[in-house]
Amino acid sequence: MTSLQLGDIAPDFDATTADGALSFHTWLGDSWGILFSHPADFTPVCTTELGRAAALEPEFARRGVKIAALSVDSAADHRAWSADIAEVSGSEVSFPMIADPDRKVADLYGMIPPGADNTATVRSVFVIGPDKRIKLTMTYPASTGRNFDEILRVVDSLQLTARHQVATPVDWRQGEDVVITPAVSDEEAQGRFPGYRAVKPYLRMTPQPKDAVDG
Ligand code: BEZ
């Protein structure tokens, strides 16, 4: 299949998780969502990643984001491994761990590179908006653990820029100045972002609009 693009509807699916059945779109409801895959249960880097995701789950929840992990392992393996994750990280996994032993979801989402010798999923991340459309994708190789602070950071940016005609500059973090998008004229910018700072005619900075989630 052709790979999923930003703006595509995140494909719906039914699956088994460590804690029972899950129907993806129904589970998402009106929330933001993150579906992320890992190569295999009982592996070192994946254990650190799932532990970090478990620790950050309240931060995702505070932002109205549901998270779900996936690999080609069985639900029984997910259950057994989650005890290790809790022991190693000190955080219980309270989000769904999707079992995809027949690679149905992995194929739908292109989580296994075509022609790969290894049929394990790579480290994919799909951030999905309340409209079920894909807002961001990331793909990391098995050898590199992801930075979950970065995933939270992009959620903050996506949620802010969904509400305001702003964009976030390089290395932006919650609370820092943002960029006024080129679609906003100078005249409109004066009304909406009074006192904005024009570094260049095309680079206009303004304090972060106030209704975003505080960092
Ligand atoms: C890991 O999680 O440590 C891992 C998994 C698959 C390949 C390489 C590393």
Side-chain angles (χ1 to χ4, degrees):
M1 69 170 285
T2 53
S3 62
L4 292 170
Q5 305 294 322
L6 299 188
D8 287 350
I9 294 285
D12 195 14
F13 58 85
D14 294 324
T16 303
T17 76
D19 298 310
L22 178 141
S23 188
F24 190 55
H25 279 194
T26 304
W27 171 77
L28 280 172
D30 295 330
S31 295
W32 287 75
I34 296 180
L35 177 64
F36 66 103
S37 59
H38 61 274
D41 293 359
F42 302 105
T43 54
V45 176
C46 299
T47 303
T48 64
E49 285 193 328
L50 272 279
R52 182 73 179 136
L56 287 177
E57 203 276 336
E59 284 297 316
F60 287 108
R62 195 163 72 82
R63 290 160 171 81
V65 182
K66 294 181 175 179
I67 65 174
L70 176 146
S71 74
V72 298
D73 299 278
S74 67
D77 278 348
H78 284 345
R79 277 192 293 277
W81 182 43
S82 65
D84 286 2
I85 295 166
E87 181 189 329
V88 169
S89 70
S91 299
E92 297 275 348
V93 175
S94 59
F95 51 82
M97 296 172 76
I98 296 169
D100 190 33
D102 57 5
R103 300 173 173 83
K104 185 183 72 176
V105 183
D107 285 344
L108 262 182
Y109 278 79
M111 291 167 165
I112 301 172
D117 294 338
N118 188 340
T119 51
T121 42
V122 290
R123 300 185 196 281
S124 300
V125 180
F126 293 87
V127 181
I128 299 159
D131 58 1
K132 310 279 187 300
R133 291 190 183 276
I134 296 171
K135 305 299 180 189
L136 180 133
T137 64
M138 290 180 186
T139 307
Y140 278 47
S143 52
T144 304
R146 288 158 288 196
N147 183 332
F148 278 72
D149 289 326
E150 170 62 4
I151 298 174
L152 266 185
R153 191 190 76 88
V154 295
V155 164
D156 285 341
S157 174
L158 288 167
Q159 293 187 336
L160 177 71
T161 58
R163 287 193 296 269
H164 300 278
Q165 280 186 298
V166 298
T168 59
V170 60
D171 295 339
W172 173 86
R173 299 198 73 87
Q174 188 69 262
E176 294 180 355
D177 286 358
V178 299
V179 166
I180 302 169
T181 56
V184 180
S185 69
D186 284 349
E187 190 182 17
E188 197 185 347
Q190 290 293 0
R192 297 174 67 159
F193 308 103
Y196 76 81
R197 182 167 52 92
V199 181
K200 289 283 181 190
Y202 55 83
L203 175 53
R204 300 166 300 173
M205 305 295 296
T206 191
Q208 177 178 333
K210 283 288 177 244
D211 65 343
V213 176
D214 293 325

